[in-house]
Amino acid sequence: AQSVTQPDIHITVSEGASLELRCNYSYGATPYLFWYVQSPGQGLQLLLKYFSGDTLVQGIKGFEAEFKRSQSSFNLRKPSVHWSDAAEYFCAVGATTDSWGKLQFGAGTQVVVTP
Amino acid sequence: DGGITQSPKYLFRKEGQNVTLSCEQNLNHDAMYWYRQDPGQGLRLIYYSQIVNDFQKGDIAEGYSVSREKKESFPLTVTSAQKNPTAFYLCASSLSSTSTDTQYFGPGTRLTVL
């Protein structure tokens, strides 16, 4: 079974500064990888996903993520954060060998943006 | 507008009561899911349905029940057997149940047991 770890529970970043959120996965093959964002009291919105091919994936809202097989990582980055980026971010991994697409979610990283 | 709606947004339940959370989608998706979210634990899968009239238990199905009589609807009942039901509940759907189909989420229902 797949699993995913987000080592940082909480990150504080200044507006305009860069942001990197870490995600490490455990899976026997190349998994499908996702990043979702959740604003307070809301559902989750997909930021980007990786299935195969180019290991640098571009998403919405200026986010990108890089798949590194050697490090079992799929870190999310944004060059310059905006106050509206304050939210909780979830990394998720999907199995490529199951008959259905169960997603395993990480515990999330809360991002606070300061002026 | 196509999307997923959940109702109510907030729900209060007395101990010993069953309550039903509504989830409706007009995306014409075959697959639907229920997740429970607790602080610091991410999302945990309660039940999922790959097609109408079929559903399967997820990781934490005890104390919950579902039905899938219509493609667009996937209600979740939290029964009195659920020991700690206070949580944020999220419904999701996807075109099919394969891993490559994006799951779209509703706005959630916050359930509080009084």
Side-chain angles (χ1 to χ4, degrees), chain B residues 34-67:
Chain B
W34 274 106
Y35 292 92
R36 172 180 170 139
Q37 185 177 17
D38 297 281
Q41 295 195 47
L43 277 68
R44 292 181 290 168
L45 183 66
I46 304 172
Y47 268 97
Y48 66 97
S49 168
Q50 295 177 279
I51 201 165
V52 175
N53 293 320
D54 179 70
F55 51 84
Q56 304 294 331
K57 293 181 179 180
D59 298 323
I60 56 165
E62 185 175 351
Y64 300 98
S65 66
V66 294
S67 63

Short mmCIF file of all heavy atoms in Angstrom, two decimals, chain B residues 34-67:
data_model
loop_
_atom_site.label_atom_id
_atom_site.label_comp_id
_atom_site.label_asym_id
_atom_site.label_seq_id
_atom_site.Cartn_x
_atom_site.Cartn_y
_atom_site.Cartn_z
N TRP B 34 -16.58 9.40 0.11
CA TRP B 34 -16.73 10.13 1.35
C TRP B 34 -15.43 10.03 2.15
O TRP B 34 -14.88 8.94 2.34
CB TRP B 34 -17.87 9.57 2.20
CG TRP B 34 -19.21 10.14 1.86
CD1 TRP B 34 -20.21 9.54 1.19
CD2 TRP B 34 -19.69 11.43 2.21
NE1 TRP B 34 -21.29 10.38 1.08
CE2 TRP B 34 -21.00 11.55 1.71
CE3 TRP B 34 -19.14 12.53 2.91
CZ2 TRP B 34 -21.76 12.70 1.87
CZ3 TRP B 34 -19.91 13.67 3.06
CH2 TRP B 34 -21.20 13.75 2.55
N TYR B 35 -14.97 11.21 2.60
CA TYR B 35 -13.78 11.30 3.43
C TYR B 35 -14.13 11.97 4.75
O TYR B 35 -15.02 12.82 4.83
CB TYR B 35 -12.70 12.16 2.76
CG TYR B 35 -12.08 11.56 1.52
CD1 TYR B 35 -12.60 11.86 0.27
CD2 TYR B 35 -10.97 10.73 1.60
CE1 TYR B 35 -12.02 11.32 -0.88
CE2 TYR B 35 -10.38 10.20 0.46
CZ TYR B 35 -10.92 10.51 -0.77
OH TYR B 35 -10.34 9.99 -1.90
N ARG B 36 -13.37 11.61 5.75
CA ARG B 36 -13.45 12.29 7.04
C ARG B 36 -12.12 13.02 7.26
O ARG B 36 -11.04 12.46 6.99
CB ARG B 36 -13.66 11.26 8.14
CG ARG B 36 -13.56 11.82 9.55
CD ARG B 36 -13.77 10.78 10.60
NE ARG B 36 -13.43 11.33 11.90
CZ ARG B 36 -14.12 11.10 13.01
NH1 ARG B 36 -15.19 10.30 12.98
NH2 ARG B 36 -13.74 11.64 14.16
N GLN B 37 -12.22 14.27 7.73
CA GLN B 37 -11.01 15.06 7.99
C GLN B 37 -10.97 15.47 9.44
O GLN B 37 -11.91 16.08 9.95
CB GLN B 37 -10.99 16.30 7.09
CG GLN B 37 -9.70 17.09 7.22
CD GLN B 37 -9.66 18.29 6.28
OE1 GLN B 37 -10.68 18.73 5.75
NE2 GLN B 37 -8.48 18.81 6.04
N ASP B 38 -9.90 15.12 10.12
CA ASP B 38 -9.65 15.54 11.49
C ASP B 38 -8.34 16.33 11.51
O ASP B 38 -7.43 16.04 10.73
CB ASP B 38 -9.52 14.33 12.41
CG ASP B 38 -10.81 13.52 12.50
OD1 ASP B 38 -11.70 13.96 13.24
OD2 ASP B 38 -10.93 12.48 11.82
N PRO B 39 -8.23 17.29 12.39
CA PRO B 39 -7.01 18.11 12.44
C PRO B 39 -5.75 17.25 12.55
O PRO B 39 -5.67 16.36 13.39
CB PRO B 39 -7.21 18.96 13.68
CG PRO B 39 -8.69 19.02 13.87
CD PRO B 39 -9.21 17.69 13.41
N GLY B 40 -4.78 17.54 11.69
CA GLY B 40 -3.49 16.84 11.75
C GLY B 40 -3.50 15.42 11.22
O GLY B 40 -2.49 14.72 11.33
N GLN B 41 -4.62 14.99 10.63
CA GLN B 41 -4.68 13.60 10.14
C GLN B 41 -4.96 13.50 8.65
O GLN B 41 -5.11 12.41 8.13
CB GLN B 41 -5.74 12.81 10.90
CG GLN B 41 -5.42 12.63 12.36
CD GLN B 41 -6.29 11.56 13.00
OE1 GLN B 41 -6.45 10.48 12.45
NE2 GLN B 41 -6.84 11.86 14.15
N GLY B 42 -5.06 14.59 7.98
CA GLY B 42 -5.37 14.52 6.56
C GLY B 42 -6.77 13.98 6.33
O GLY B 42 -7.65 14.10 7.18
N LEU B 43 -6.97 13.37 5.18
CA LEU B 43 -8.28 12.83 4.81
C LEU B 43 -8.23 11.31 4.88
O LEU B 43 -7.29 10.69 4.39
CB LEU B 43 -8.64 13.24 3.38
CG LEU B 43 -9.24 14.62 3.18
CD1 LEU B 43 -8.25 15.72 3.47
CD2 LEU B 43 -9.79 14.74 1.77
N ARG B 44 -9.27 10.74 5.47
CA ARG B 44 -9.37 9.28 5.53
C ARG B 44 -10.64 8.84 4.83
O ARG B 44 -11.70 9.42 5.04
CB ARG B 44 -9.35 8.82 6.99
CG ARG B 44 -8.00 9.06 7.69
CD ARG B 44 -8.04 8.56 9.11
NE ARG B 44 -8.89 9.38 9.95
CZ ARG B 44 -9.28 9.04 11.18
NH1 ARG B 44 -8.90 7.87 11.69
NH2 ARG B 44 -10.03 9.85 11.88
N LEU B 45 -10.53 7.80 4.03
CA LEU B 45 -11.63 7.34 3.20
C LEU B 45 -12.62 6.51 4.02
O LEU B 45 -12.24 5.54 4.68
CB LEU B 45 -11.07 6.51 2.04
CG LEU B 45 -12.07 5.99 1.03
CD1 LEU B 45 -12.70 7.15 0.25
CD2 LEU B 45 -11.40 5.02 0.06
N ILE B 46 -13.90 6.89 3.94
CA ILE B 46 -14.95 6.18 4.67
C ILE B 46 -15.60 5.14 3.76
O ILE B 46 -15.63 3.95 4.07
CB ILE B 46 -16.03 7.15 5.18
CG1 ILE B 46 -15.41 8.25 6.05
CG2 ILE B 46 -17.09 6.39 5.97
CD1 ILE B 46 -16.40 9.35 6.43
N TYR B 47 -16.16 5.57 2.65
CA TYR B 47 -16.80 4.71 1.67
C TYR B 47 -16.52 5.27 0.28
O TYR B 47 -16.29 6.47 0.13
CB TYR B 47 -18.32 4.66 1.88
CG TYR B 47 -18.82 3.56 2.76
CD1 TYR B 47 -19.09 3.81 4.11
CD2 TYR B 47 -19.07 2.28 2.26
CE1 TYR B 47 -19.57 2.80 4.94
CE2 TYR B 47 -19.55 1.26 3.09
CZ TYR B 47 -19.80 1.53 4.42
OH TYR B 47 -20.28 0.54 5.24
N TYR B 48 -16.60 4.40 -0.71
CA TYR B 48 -16.55 4.86 -2.08
C TYR B 48 -17.50 4.03 -2.94
O TYR B 48 -17.85 2.90 -2.58
CB TYR B 48 -15.13 4.83 -2.65
CG TYR B 48 -14.53 3.45 -2.81
CD1 TYR B 48 -14.55 2.79 -4.03
CD2 TYR B 48 -13.90 2.83 -1.73
CE1 TYR B 48 -13.98 1.54 -4.17
CE2 TYR B 48 -13.32 1.57 -1.87
CZ TYR B 48 -13.36 0.93 -3.08
OH TYR B 48 -12.79 -0.30 -3.21
N SER B 49 -17.88 4.63 -4.05
CA SER B 49 -18.80 3.97 -4.97
C SER B 49 -18.26 4.15 -6.38
O SER B 49 -18.03 5.27 -6.82
CB SER B 49 -20.19 4.58 -4.86
OG SER B 49 -21.02 4.14 -5.90
N GLN B 50 -18.07 3.06 -7.07
CA GLN B 50 -17.53 3.13 -8.43
C GLN B 50 -18.64 3.28 -9.47
O GLN B 50 -18.38 3.71 -10.60
CB GLN B 50 -16.70 1.88 -8.74
CG GLN B 50 -15.44 1.79 -7.86
CD GLN B 50 -14.66 0.52 -8.11
OE1 GLN B 50 -15.00 -0.54 -7.58
NE2 GLN B 50 -13.61 0.61 -8.89
N ILE B 51 -19.86 2.91 -9.08
CA ILE B 51 -20.97 2.95 -10.02
C ILE B 51 -22.27 2.89 -9.23
O ILE B 51 -22.26 2.48 -8.05
CB ILE B 51 -20.86 1.80 -11.03
CG1 ILE B 51 -21.66 2.09 -12.29
CG2 ILE B 51 -21.22 0.48 -10.39
CD1 ILE B 51 -21.31 1.19 -13.45
N VAL B 52 -23.35 3.26 -9.86
CA VAL B 52 -24.64 3.23 -9.20
C VAL B 52 -24.95 1.84 -8.68
O VAL B 52 -24.61 0.83 -9.31
CB VAL B 52 -25.75 3.68 -10.18
CG1 VAL B 52 -27.12 3.55 -9.55
CG2 VAL B 52 -25.53 5.11 -10.62
N ASN B 53 -25.58 1.80 -7.50
CA ASN B 53 -26.00 0.56 -6.84
C ASN B 53 -24.83 -0.30 -6.38
O ASN B 53 -25.00 -1.51 -6.13
CB ASN B 53 -26.93 -0.27 -7.74
CG ASN B 53 -28.26 0.41 -7.97
OD1 ASN B 53 -28.83 1.02 -7.06
ND2 ASN B 53 -28.74 0.33 -9.19
N ASP B 54 -23.66 0.30 -6.26
CA ASP B 54 -22.50 -0.43 -5.76
C ASP B 54 -21.68 0.50 -4.89
O ASP B 54 -21.49 1.68 -5.23
CB ASP B 54 -21.63 -0.93 -6.91
CG ASP B 54 -20.41 -1.69 -6.39
OD1 ASP B 54 -20.58 -2.80 -5.84
OD2 ASP B 54 -19.29 -1.15 -6.50
N PHE B 55 -21.19 0.01 -3.76
CA PHE B 55 -20.30 0.80 -2.92
C PHE B 55 -19.43 -0.15 -2.10
O PHE B 55 -19.78 -1.32 -1.90
CB PHE B 55 -21.08 1.77 -2.01
CG PHE B 55 -22.19 1.15 -1.21
CD1 PHE B 55 -21.94 0.51 0.00
CD2 PHE B 55 -23.49 1.22 -1.66
CE1 PHE B 55 -22.97 -0.05 0.74
CE2 PHE B 55 -24.54 0.67 -0.93
CZ PHE B 55 -24.28 0.02 0.27
N GLN B 56 -18.30 0.39 -1.66
CA GLN B 56 -17.31 -0.41 -0.94
C GLN B 56 -16.85 0.34 0.30
O GLN B 56 -16.78 1.58 0.31
CB GLN B 56 -16.10 -0.70 -1.82
CG GLN B 56 -16.42 -1.37 -3.14
CD GLN B 56 -16.97 -2.75 -2.98
OE1 GLN B 56 -16.66 -3.45 -2.01
NE2 GLN B 56 -17.80 -3.18 -3.93
N LYS B 57 -16.47 -0.40 1.32
CA LYS B 57 -15.93 0.20 2.53
C LYS B 57 -14.53 0.74 2.26
O LYS B 57 -13.74 0.13 1.53
CB LYS B 57 -15.86 -0.82 3.66
CG LYS B 57 -17.21 -1.27 4.16
CD LYS B 57 -17.06 -2.27 5.31
CE LYS B 57 -18.42 -2.69 5.83
NZ LYS B 57 -18.30 -3.67 6.96
N GLY B 58 -14.25 1.87 2.88
CA GLY B 58 -12.91 2.42 2.86
C GLY B 58 -12.15 2.02 4.11
O GLY B 58 -12.38 0.95 4.67
N ASP B 59 -11.27 2.88 4.56
CA ASP B 59 -10.41 2.56 5.68
C ASP B 59 -11.09 2.68 7.05
O ASP B 59 -10.67 2.05 8.01
CB ASP B 59 -9.18 3.48 5.67
CG ASP B 59 -8.34 3.30 4.42
OD1 ASP B 59 -8.23 2.14 3.95
OD2 ASP B 59 -7.82 4.29 3.90
N ILE B 60 -12.14 3.52 7.14
CA ILE B 60 -12.74 3.77 8.45
C ILE B 60 -14.27 3.71 8.35
O ILE B 60 -14.97 4.60 8.79
CB ILE B 60 -12.29 5.13 9.03
CG1 ILE B 60 -12.59 6.27 8.06
CG2 ILE B 60 -10.81 5.12 9.37
CD1 ILE B 60 -12.50 7.64 8.70
N ALA B 61 -14.82 2.62 7.83
CA ALA B 61 -16.25 2.53 7.56
C ALA B 61 -17.11 2.23 8.79
O ALA B 61 -18.33 2.42 8.75
CB ALA B 61 -16.50 1.46 6.51
N GLU B 62 -16.52 1.79 9.88
CA GLU B 62 -17.32 1.40 11.04
C GLU B 62 -18.11 2.57 11.59
O GLU B 62 -17.57 3.65 11.84
CB GLU B 62 -16.42 0.83 12.15
CG GLU B 62 -17.19 0.31 13.34
CD GLU B 62 -16.31 -0.36 14.37
OE1 GLU B 62 -15.11 -0.56 14.09
OE2 GLU B 62 -16.81 -0.67 15.46
N GLY B 63 -19.43 2.36 11.77
CA GLY B 63 -20.29 3.40 12.30
C GLY B 63 -20.89 4.29 11.23
O GLY B 63 -21.59 5.25 11.56
N TYR B 64 -20.62 4.00 9.98
CA TYR B 64 -21.15 4.77 8.86
C TYR B 64 -21.90 3.84 7.89
O TYR B 64 -21.61 2.65 7.82
CB TYR B 64 -20.03 5.46 8.08
CG TYR B 64 -19.20 6.43 8.87
CD1 TYR B 64 -17.97 6.04 9.41
CD2 TYR B 64 -19.61 7.74 9.07
CE1 TYR B 64 -17.19 6.92 10.14
CE2 TYR B 64 -18.83 8.64 9.80
CZ TYR B 64 -17.63 8.21 10.33
OH TYR B 64 -16.86 9.09 11.04
N SER B 65 -22.83 4.42 7.13
CA SER B 65 -23.48 3.68 6.06
C SER B 65 -23.75 4.62 4.90
O SER B 65 -23.85 5.84 5.09
CB SER B 65 -24.78 3.01 6.53
OG SER B 65 -25.74 3.98 6.87
N VAL B 66 -23.87 4.06 3.71
CA VAL B 66 -24.11 4.86 2.51
C VAL B 66 -25.11 4.14 1.62
O VAL B 66 -25.43 2.97 1.80
CB VAL B 66 -22.81 5.10 1.70
CG1 VAL B 66 -21.83 5.96 2.47
CG2 VAL B 66 -22.19 3.79 1.27
N SER B 67 -25.58 4.86 0.62
CA SER B 67 -26.40 4.27 -0.45
C SER B 67 -26.04 4.97 -1.75
O SER B 67 -25.54 6.10 -1.74
CB SER B 67 -27.89 4.41 -0.16
OG SER B 67 -28.26 5.76 -0.11
#
